[in-house]
Amino acid sequence: MLCMTKEGQPWVSPMVRKIRLQIAQDPSLNYEYMPVMGMNSFIQASLSLLFGKNSQVIMENRVGGVHTVGDSGAFQLGAQFLKTWYRDSQIVYIISSQKESYGLIFQDLGFSVYECSFWDSTKLCLDPSMLLDVVEQAPRGCVFVMGNVANCKLSQSQWIKLMSMMKSKRIFPFFDIPCQGLSTGDLEEETRFLKYFVSRGFEFFCSQSLSKIFGIYDEGVGILVVVALSNELLLCVLSQLMNYARALWLSPPSTGARIITSILCNPALQGEWKQSLEGVVDNIMLIKEKVKEKLRLLGTPGSWDHITEQKGSHSYLGLSSQQVEYLVKKKHIYIPRNGRINFTCINACNIDYITQSISEAVLFTKDSKK
């Protein structure tokens, strides 16, 4: 899941190294346990990044968060709460463009889990209608955990239809924001859908992971975001989450949170960080364009437009299981069975070998069908 540089090394935002050094040399810092809820300045900075400083939900004091551990800490915490307090249903739908690991967390807690993808392997695209179909068939009162939903291009009318169905069925949304800004470079646009749900009067949870977008992979931090209908209800939920957090990890990690907070709370550093993030996104799109063009020049059968139509570092190649098996066994290119790969791992040193191998895999399987 790392975002890699052109040199094949893990990408780290340039500001991170500078801030890490400043923190290490700061004599005023102590290393006492953090509060159970975590670092308040980190939580507030994260919420502002997610919703915008002047958002309706922040101004009304009905959004809060708990500082969590790693990429899955927010799901562990949220699932514990829902198991105890959400009595409408113990059914969870995991809806994403890929198979998500946090389904196991809900299974371990006794939820009935159904996993659904809105990637259409036949049309080679993310199909919004597949998401709407799942909502239509889902039972009343279930939990919907939705990942990468910002990349599923719903029209305004489809968003309205989706929210209307979820509202009428009392479906509880639990969003996943694993890498805000890494799909388009536009931090606000990628979380705009959250404002739709706020405006329609939804209560929801959201896992906001921040490590990837700063390049702090070894210090996974994030928050469990809680949106409630009032400040009173928010405080009730947060008090219960604090009990679960105390039992799960007692004190969340501080160094990564301090680095991120230092950058987000400094307008100049935040501007530099945003520029570096945009540079990563531009590089991802350039890699995808090069892969598509090389496959075209090699005469690889089929259209490869779906590669550049997908957003983000991880995208589907659109290969069959037989073609993926060929890459793994014959060419030693180890990718998941679904053919969804990290394009930042492709660089000037390996792009020719990878595209040639993909072309061979497609031609080999085509010939084997004759």
Side-chain angles (χ1 to χ4, degrees):
M1 292 296 288
L2 295 180
C3 190
M4 309 297 283
T5 65
K6 294 175 183 178
E7 295 73 36
Q9 297 298 315
W11 172 80
V12 180
S13 185
M15 284 62 64
V16 166
R17 299 186 192 280
K18 181 166 63 175
I19 298 298
R20 191 192 291 272
L21 190 61
Q22 289 177 7
I23 289 172
Q25 296 175 342
D26 186 349
S28 68
L29 285 179
N30 64 56
Y31 295 91
E32 275 285 1
Y33 283 117
M34 296 279 289
V36 176
M37 297 294 281
M39 187 187 297
N40 185 58
S41 56
F42 169 63
I43 294 169
Q44 296 309 314
S46 301
L47 293 175
S48 293
L49 185 69
L50 197 61
F51 294 100
K53 286 183 180 178
N54 301 315
S55 73
Q56 170 193 351
V57 73
I58 290 178
M59 300 292 282
E60 293 174 356
N61 264 338
R62 53 190 188 86
V63 61
V66 181
H67 179 170
T68 59
V69 179
D71 292 331
S72 61
F75 288 104
Q76 186 72 52
L77 197 58
Q80 290 274 4
F81 179 91
L82 293 172
K83 182 66 180 176
T84 306
W85 295 102
Y86 192 67
R87 298 293 187 181
D88 282 10
S89 172
Q90 296 292 287
I91 296 174
V92 172
Y93 281 77
I94 309 287
I95 308 167
S96 181
S97 60
Q98 61 169 338
K99 185 174 178 61
E100 300 285 3
S101 59
Y102 39 73
L104 296 172
I105 293 171
F106 288 93
Q107 284 179 4
D108 287 346
L109 286 170
F111 287 91
S112 297
V113 177
Y114 300 90
E115 299 189 51
C116 313
S117 172
F118 46 79
W119 168 255
D120 190 322
S121 57
T122 304
K123 297 178 184 177
L124 299 179
C125 68
L126 298 173
D127 188 351
S129 63
M130 297 174 78
L131 177 57
L132 293 169
D133 288 344
V134 174
V135 179
E136 204 162 2
Q137 295 164 17
R140 181 180 176 83
C142 63
V143 177
F144 259 44
V145 182
M146 293 188 275
N148 294 313
V149 70
N151 291 338
C152 191
K153 300 174 184 176
L154 277 78
S155 65
Q156 188 71 28
S157 60
Q158 286 175 319
W159 275 117
I160 292 171
K161 183 179 179 182
L162 174 73
M163 289 186 290
S164 296
M165 286 193 293
M166 291 180 72
K167 196 81 171 175
S168 64
K169 289 190 170 189
R170 297 178 60 85
I171 290 173
F172 184 82
F174 195 149
F175 299 106
D176 181 25
I177 311 290
C179 40
Q180 182 184 353
L182 263 184
S183 290
T184 64
D186 189 330
L187 290 153
E188 186 177 345
E189 182 59 35
E190 290 184 27
T191 57
R192 190 177 299 278
F193 70 92
L194 292 177
K195 296 175 185 177
Y196 298 160
F197 282 83
V198 168
S199 65
R200 293 295 292 264
F202 276 88
E203 294 183 295
F204 59 82
F205 283 163
C206 177
S207 167
Q208 182 189 18
S209 179
L210 292 145
S211 300
K212 295 186 187 74
I213 56 176
F214 287 88
I216 314 177
Y217 312 103
D218 61 338
E219 297 183 33
V221 289
I223 65 171
L224 173 63
V225 179
V226 182
V227 172
L229 296 181
S230 68
N231 179 254
E232 184 182 5
L233 288 170
L234 172 66
L235 294 176
C236 289
V237 174
L238 291 177
S239 70
Q240 294 301 316
L241 290 172
M242 182 172 66
N243 293 332
Y244 298 127
R246 184 181 288 112
L248 286 168
W249 50 69
L250 182 61
S251 178
S254 63
T255 303
R258 282 178 174 144
I259 293 170
I260 292 167
T261 305
S262 297
I263 294 171
L264 291 181
C265 292
N266 182 312
L269 289 178
Q270 186 178 140
E272 287 182 54
W273 166 68
K274 286 180 179 178
Q275 276 190 318
S276 71
L277 204 60
E278 288 168 5
V280 172
V281 173
D282 290 343
N283 186 52
I284 290 168
M285 289 310 299
L286 183 60
I287 294 167
K288 290 181 178 181
E289 289 286 356
K290 286 181 177 179
V291 169
K292 185 174 81 169
E293 180 62 12
K294 284 184 178 290
L295 288 172
R296 186 188 69 79
L297 292 174
L298 287 167
T300 313
S303 169
W304 297 91
D305 290 339
H306 60 276
I307 289 178
T308 50
E309 287 169 357
Q310 297 172 75
K311 304 293 184 184
S313 58
H314 290 68
S315 301
Y316 286 93
L317 284 171
L319 301 178
S320 67
S321 57
Q322 190 180 8
Q323 289 161 351
V324 170
E325 186 178 5
Y326 181 91
L327 290 179
V328 172
K329 291 187 175 179
K330 301 292 184 181
K331 310 302 292 185
H332 300 284
I333 297 174
Y334 301 101
I335 64 175
R337 291 180 181 178
N338 61 12
R340 189 174 187 267
I341 70 162
N342 182 350
F343 273 86
T344 68
C345 291
I346 300 176
N347 53 48
C349 297
N350 60 26
I351 189 169
D352 288 332
Y353 180 76
I354 289 172
T355 50
Q356 181 66 50
S357 299
I358 291 171
S359 188
E360 284 180 25
V362 173
L363 290 168
F364 172 79
T365 54
K366 184 182 177 184
D367 291 342
S368 67
K369 291 177 183 177
K370 291 180 180 179

